[in-house]
Amino acid sequence: CLWTLAAILKETLKDALVPRAGVLKKLLAPLDAVLEGFYNAILLHHFDSHHYTSPYSEATNNLISFIDLLEALLASRIEMELPLMCQRVLFLKVSYILNLISSSIPYVIKKKLIFLLKRCVLYKSREDAKSGSLFLQSPSLCEDVLALSNAILQLVNLTWLNQIPLSGKSSYFGSSEAAPGDDSQGGSDQTVLRALSLVVLKALEFKIHNSATEAEIK
């Protein structure tokens, strides 16, 4: 069901011949509360259980399908502004995503979530799309990106970055120290390192531009 809904959203956004805003509203409005509930229930789950140790398990595949749906909802939010909570929840409750990234889920999911965050701070609907600064003319999107930036900066101010692996092996953001019981030394994932750095920098930039006082900026 998750895969089907994500596929329909993506195809609708590609179709230039249909009134996309109307089709999206007809599709998402009845599901708005359901999808917000899914976000809360799925991402507040305990991901440290043995069901998520393998990147090939059914539980992992279900989580990946849900992230694909979040990507499609982000694309629909950025490309056509609709006042639906299921399109805003990723920004307003991004702490769920941030906690998930620093949990013990498989690296492939962490990487997917980091790229999703990158699209949020760049206001991009797809990985290959141009940055969408024009969309920040929307007051609700400004409000949502500011909420997302605040949540990211609060965690970065703690030790969140030090808990994030930069490869499926033993290289971490805060150090290159090997994980306990791991003798292998793999190189850092430079793509993820760049994406994480960009997420932090863009969150900081947006926060500074939207701070009311000099003290707040400092």
Side-chain angles (χ1 to χ4, degrees):
C1 289
L2 291 171
W3 184 91
T4 303
L5 183 56
I8 292 171
L9 278 172
K10 288 173 184 175
E11 288 304 313
T12 302
L13 289 168
K14 284 182 195 171
D15 195 342
L17 301 176
V18 299
R20 289 182 292 195
V23 172
L24 286 170
K25 191 159 190 177
K26 187 182 285 188
L27 176 66
L28 292 176
L31 295 171
D32 195 23
V34 175
L35 292 175
E36 185 188 356
F38 267 21
Y39 186 92
N40 295 335
I42 291 176
L43 298 186
L44 271 179
H45 187 66
H46 294 292
F47 290 100
D48 295 329
S49 74
H50 67 280
H51 297 295
Y52 295 92
T53 52
S54 167
Y56 308 107
S57 69
E58 184 181 357
T60 300
N61 282 332
N62 288 340
L63 184 54
I64 288 174
S65 292
F66 185 65
I67 297 168
D68 287 339
L69 178 58
L70 289 179
E71 290 173 356
L73 287 169
L74 174 64
S76 70
R77 165 69 194 269
I78 289 177
E79 294 198 1
M80 21 205 25
E81 176 70 10
L82 295 171
L84 293 174
M85 192 60 190
C86 66
Q87 295 169 306
R88 301 184 67 196
V89 69
L90 174 59
F91 293 86
L92 300 180
K93 296 184 179 179
V94 72
S95 58
Y96 295 9
I97 299 287
L98 299 172
N99 291 336
L100 194 50
I101 290 171
S102 60
S103 75
S104 60
I105 56 169
Y107 181 70
V108 63
I109 299 181
K110 294 176 190 264
K111 190 169 182 176
K112 200 169 174 63
L113 288 169
I114 289 166
F115 290 155
L116 180 62
L117 280 182
K118 187 181 86 170
R119 286 182 218 174
C120 289
V121 296
L122 291 177
Y123 336 117
K124 290 171 65 173
S125 55
R126 301 180 310 278
E127 193 61 37
D128 59 347
K130 292 181 180 178
S131 295
S133 55
L134 288 175
F135 295 107
L136 288 182
Q137 293 172 357
S138 158
S140 68
L141 187 54
C142 274
E143 179 188 326
D144 291 357
V145 175
L146 184 57
L148 178 135
S149 298
N150 283 334
I152 290 172
L153 293 174
Q154 282 170 14
L155 273 187
V156 167
N157 206 30
L158 302 173
T159 58
W160 181 72
L161 284 176
N162 296 335
Q163 302 168 45
I164 301 173
L166 288 178
S167 75
K169 296 181 181 176
S170 57
S171 182
Y172 285 76
F173 196 101
S175 70
S176 57
E177 184 180 339
D182 186 0
D183 297 327
S184 60
Q185 286 294 325
S188 299
D189 187 334
Q190 296 299 309
T191 310
V192 170
L193 176 59
R194 284 194 298 271
L196 263 176
S197 301
L198 189 59
V199 164
V200 176
L201 287 171
K202 292 298 287 186
L204 191 60
E205 177 190 38
F206 196 80
K207 173 67 176 172
I208 288 171
H209 286 169
N210 290 274
S211 294
T213 64
E214 191 176 340
E216 215 179 357
I217 291 173
K218 285 182 181 179

